[in-house]
Amino acid sequence: EFKVETSALPAQYGHHSGGAVNAVTKSGANAFHGTAFEYIRNSALNARNAFSLKGDGLKRNQFGGTFGGPVVRNKLFFFGGHQSTIKRAVPSDNIQYIPTAAMVAGDFTAVASPACNSGRQITLRAPFVNNRIDPALLSRAALNVVKLLPRADDPCGKITFGRPNSDNEHQSIGKVDYQRSDKHSLFFRYQFYRRDTPAAYD
């Protein structure tokens, strides 16, 4: 349970308070109680964006639960909760241009055409002749690198690809309440939070 106040604050917060957040952690009771939940989103169940070539590959799994109860009846209680969110996505929103099979064969006519240059024809300088070059003049090392690249989506060398996006979030909270008497009580609360967002190709 939480409450956020941003204006017209009670006097107990002082004259210059800009806002106040109050949070109450659930406590254990004289009986054992628990909850569990899981929430799933998966790209296999989602429609593809109308402007994307393929789905986003989103897989989001949020799960957790709570448990509480007595340690000493009417005196000492415990309560704990945990939630994890695991997210994986490979959005296909990155565009690059790579050498095509025709370019590797020395034919640059398509990539120099108006279709690939916003309606402007490009004429390549020597040693190109009619936007073609002897493949023997191409770098052998560069050609070996090209073999490792994916196949281009069109004659201009355009490829669309996704960069893996991973996000792991873990939250835990624990609370112990001690009721010494009607006038004296004590509680201990612990909260843990961790979030890992590794690099795409770590």
Side-chain angles (χ1 to χ4, degrees):
E1 177 185 339
F2 68 92
K3 180 172 66 172
V4 179
E5 297 175 277
T6 59
S7 60
L9 298 178
Q12 67 189 37
Y13 297 124
H15 176 63
H16 297 289
S17 293
V21 178
N22 284 299
V24 178
T25 304
K26 196 173 180 180
S27 300
N30 277 325
F32 292 104
H33 291 283
T35 62
F37 70 91
E38 183 163 8
Y39 172 77
I40 295 176
R41 282 187 64 192
N42 194 301
S43 60
L45 308 173
N46 296 342
R48 175 179 58 83
N49 185 307
F51 299 102
S52 298
L53 296 176
K54 59 181 182 179
D56 58 6
L58 176 65
K59 294 180 181 178
R60 188 173 190 271
N61 190 6
Q62 190 171 24
F63 57 92
T66 63
F67 187 69
V71 177
V72 177
R73 191 171 180 81
N74 296 324
K75 288 288 184 183
L76 189 61
F77 312 93
F78 75 93
F79 177 82
H82 178 79
Q83 174 180 299
S84 288
T85 303
I86 310 298
K87 186 172 76 171
R88 302 287 182 269
V90 186
S92 57
D93 54 2
N94 296 292
I95 297 174
Q96 294 292 337
Y97 290 86
I98 61 173
T100 64
M103 293 166 70
V104 171
D107 184 359
F108 285 72
T109 54
V111 77
S113 70
C116 296
N117 296 283
S118 302
R120 185 170 58 100
Q121 175 66 46
I122 294 177
T123 301
L124 301 173
R125 294 180 296 192
F128 288 88
V129 177
N130 294 327
N131 290 333
R132 296 174 187 269
I133 190 172
D134 183 358
L137 298 176
L138 299 176
S139 165
R140 184 69 56 194
L143 292 175
N144 287 331
V145 171
V146 169
K147 293 177 183 177
L148 303 175
L149 298 176
R151 192 184 188 98
D153 297 333
D154 65 10
C156 301
K158 178 181 176 180
I159 61 167
T160 305
F161 64 96
R163 199 174 268 122
N165 181 358
S166 300
D167 191 8
N168 304 314
E169 185 178 323
H170 306 282
Q171 302 178 63
S172 297
I173 191 168
K175 187 180 181 188
V176 175
D177 291 272
Y178 176 54
Q179 191 73 34
R180 183 178 180 184
S181 66
D182 292 341
K183 296 183 178 180
H184 296 89
S185 63
L186 180 70
F187 77 88
F188 169 80
R189 182 169 56 210
Y190 173 79
Q191 185 171 6
F192 169 84
Y193 178 83
R194 177 173 178 171
R195 184 175 185 181
D196 298 319
T197 53
Y201 295 103
D202 207 3

